[in-house]
Amino acid sequence: PQTELNQEERDIFTYFTPIEGMEASLCRMLTGVRARYSSNGGLSGGNIIIQGGEGSGKTRLATNIIRVLQLEIDKPNNNIGRIDGDKLNTKDLRKLFDKIRGGALIIENAGEITRETALELSAQMELDESGILVILEDARIGIERVMALNPHFSRRFTEKVVIPVLTIDELVNFGRSYADELGYSIDEMGVLAMYDRINLVQRHDHPTNLTEVKEIVDEAIDIAETGGIKGFFSRLGSRRRDEDGNVILQEKDFQ
């Protein structure tokens, strides 16, 4: 079984690799899904649960998983469906499976699925011979609810990745990775300012999530790029770019 991500996988999962324990979890999941596709006719398992709170990046992780599998084993194909669990209850699942034949189905807020939908979905997964990969997303309570609907259905989801509540260091590392992806870097004082911004959002009953960190970085980028006349002249200076040519976000951009 795989114990470490290779560099290509690490680049794709760049948002999640800084999180403690995520690399090992992703390796276990990828090993199980690859085994699903390599077994002759053994497609009953190997589907995926992604568990995490609101704004934790569940759908991004799902699409990253699909991208890695497509690069490595050329499966699933590009017939990718994405739907909310509540809306899935109103769909003709036979027609839906015909439409995404050989592809993948990402079900957000999976805890909204009814027992009738779970039974029909399980039946369609049983009949499917094209290798459709089904990915369920929700917070812990929603996942527990949908897994309790029907044992035949729940047994099809043998792989699970849990996105934990992140530490502030992990959130800052994510912010730096996100900025780098957009062509920006953050200097030392900018990083300290980002810590302060994240702490302002964090509450006992509401841990800061990845979506909120993205908003903080997006706002800093907007300030850096549209900072008026003063910002225009500062952008002309050499200090505004690092050795790789990336625009440097500074403390004032996060305030």
Side-chain angles (χ1 to χ4, degrees), residues 112-124:
E112 298 297 320
I113 292 174
T114 64
R115 184 173 183 275
E116 290 74 20
T117 298
L119 289 170
E120 178 60 22
L121 187 56
S122 183
Q124 292 301 322

Side-chain angles (χ1 to χ4, degrees), residues 39-51:
S39 62
N40 294 322
L43 296 177
S44 60
N47 298 288
I48 305 169
I49 293 168
I50 299 178
Q51 179 178 305

Side-chain angles (χ1 to χ4, degrees), residues 3-254:
T3 57
E4 292 183 351
L5 297 174
N6 61 40
Q7 190 56 54
E8 188 173 43
E9 292 167 343
R10 195 168 281 111
D11 289 343
I12 293 172
F13 290 122
T14 185
Y15 282 11
F16 302 98
T17 50
I19 303 171
E20 184 177 358
M22 278 295 284
E23 181 167 356
S25 182
L26 290 168
C27 286
R28 287 193 297 271
M29 176 273 302
L30 289 172
T31 298
V33 179
R34 289 191 198 100
R36 167 194 200 268
Y37 282 111
S38 64
S39 62
N40 294 322
L43 296 177
S44 60
N47 298 288
I48 305 169
I49 293 168
I50 299 178
Q51 179 178 305
E54 183 181 354
S56 61
K58 296 185 294 296
T59 299
R60 174 176 282 272
L61 181 56
T63 55
N64 286 349
I65 290 168
I66 292 169
R67 185 178 167 199
V68 166
L69 293 170
Q70 288 175 331
L71 284 171
E72 295 180 350
I73 60 176
D74 202 29
K75 294 176 182 177
N77 63 32
N78 285 323
N79 295 332
I80 311 299
R82 180 176 154 195
I83 190 169
D84 191 87
D86 189 47
K87 291 183 179 177
L88 188 70
N89 294 328
T90 67
K91 294 292 184 181
D92 183 325
L93 296 188
R94 183 181 60 80
K95 290 181 178 179
L96 177 60
F97 267 58
D98 284 343
K99 187 175 181 179
I100 61 170
R101 184 172 177 79
L105 178 62
I106 301 170
I107 304 173
E108 300 174 333
N109 298 308
E112 298 297 320
I113 292 174
T114 64
R115 184 173 183 275
E116 290 74 20
T117 298
L119 289 170
E120 178 60 22
L121 187 56
S122 183
Q124 292 301 322
M125 293 167 77
E126 179 73 29
L127 293 170
D128 173 54
E129 296 180 350
S130 70
I132 292 173
L133 177 67
V134 181
I135 302 176
L136 302 180
E137 299 178 11
D138 211 333
R140 179 182 60 81
I141 292 174
I143 292 299
E144 289 176 354
R145 180 186 178 281
V146 72
M147 288 293 98
L149 292 175
N150 178 264
H152 296 291
F153 174 74
S154 62
R155 281 197 293 267
R156 300 188 184 281
F157 296 87
T158 56
E159 312 307 320
K160 185 175 184 179
V161 179
V162 177
I163 304 174
V165 174
L166 305 187
T167 66
I168 189 165
D169 289 336
E170 289 167 339
L171 290 166
V172 169
N173 284 333
F174 165 78
R176 297 177 75 171
S177 296
Y178 177 63
D180 182 68
E181 186 181 77
L182 296 177
Y184 295 83
S185 63
I186 307 173
D187 68 12
E188 186 175 342
M189 294 304 295
V191 169
L192 293 176
M194 183 161 58
Y195 269 100
D196 289 340
R197 286 292 307 278
I198 291 171
N199 272 324
L200 287 173
V201 176
Q202 193 112 336
R203 302 192 307 271
H204 174 68
D205 61 342
H206 177 81
T208 308
N209 59 46
L210 297 188
T211 299
E212 290 165 329
V213 176
K214 284 175 67 176
E215 290 171 354
I216 289 170
V217 174
D218 287 340
E219 184 181 325
I221 290 171
D222 186 57
I223 291 171
E225 296 292 352
T226 61
I229 297 297
K230 188 175 180 180
F232 172 76
F233 283 111
S234 70
R235 289 198 298 278
L236 295 179
S238 59
R239 292 179 60 211
R240 293 298 300 179
R241 291 187 180 272
D242 63 16
E243 59 187 14
D244 296 320
N246 294 322
V247 175
I248 299 172
L249 301 178
Q250 300 175 323
E251 179 181 16
K252 61 188 175 65
D253 299 321
F254 288 92

